[in-house]
Amino acid sequence: MGHTEERTFIAIKPDAVIRGLTSTIIKRFEDKGYKIIGLKMLMVSKEQAAQHYAEHFGKPFYDRLIKYIQSGPIVAMVLQGYNVIKGARQLMGATDPAEAQVGTIRADFAQLKEYNSVHGSDCPESAAREIAIYFKPEELCTNWKNMTELVTEKEDLE
Ligand code: UDP
Ligand code: MG
């Protein structure tokens, strides 16, 4: 009761896409029950990269981060679910794969923090900002029901 769904922005980063981990990583989020309401593969533009990582401008790793995120395709996603911002980051694990718990995406599929396989928004404000960088409102499929909702609805009819 009283639970409200959130949205978050997730990106499968170039090294993970190139290594063929797209479906494996998407599955981690789907298995949790999060609803995918936006999904696309794209090459990140210079402008998108700068907007996305604006908070890190000036940091020692900034230039390499910007270059890396544009080095190949990313798979961008919007997920919807209860506490999805925190929950998705738990599935991702700590920024540095060497510190991430075994069983998380970064621990299981990455070795270095510079190439840590996934991005996920860290708060509702970042989520809204990041979703808008990569998706137009009309690109989000907000009007479909997942299995749980369908089954509940069917039972209600019986
Ligand atoms: N990053 C890096 N070196 C660092 C810290 C961060 O290369 O010392 C990269 C890393 O790819 C990370 C991204 O910059 O995912 C954004 O950093 P942030 O602190 O926001 O970590 P995240 O939110 O991705 O866990
Ligand atoms: Mg971050």
Side-chain angles (χ1 to χ4, degrees), residues 53 55-56 89 119-122 130:
Y53 287 120
E55 65 172 306
H56 297 300
R89 284 180 67 91
H119 166 83
S121 310
D122 60 7
E130 291 167 4

Side-chain angles (χ1 to χ4, degrees), residues 75-135:
V75 173
M77 269 181 283
V78 179
L79 301 182
Q80 185 171 302
Y82 300 112
N83 298 307
V84 66
I85 297 172
K86 188 177 174 195
R89 284 180 67 91
Q90 282 174 343
L91 293 180
M92 287 161 49
T95 305
D96 186 345
E99 306 291 333
Q101 293 218 357
V102 172
T104 63
I105 294 166
R106 284 166 166 174
D108 292 357
F109 305 120
Q111 298 176 37
L112 298 170
K113 64 183 166 193
E114 291 83 357
Y115 307 100
N116 59 6
S117 294
V118 269
H119 166 83
S121 310
D122 60 7
C123 66
E125 295 71 31
S126 308
R129 197 180 67 78
E130 291 167 4
I131 290 168
I133 296 170
Y134 292 98
F135 289 90

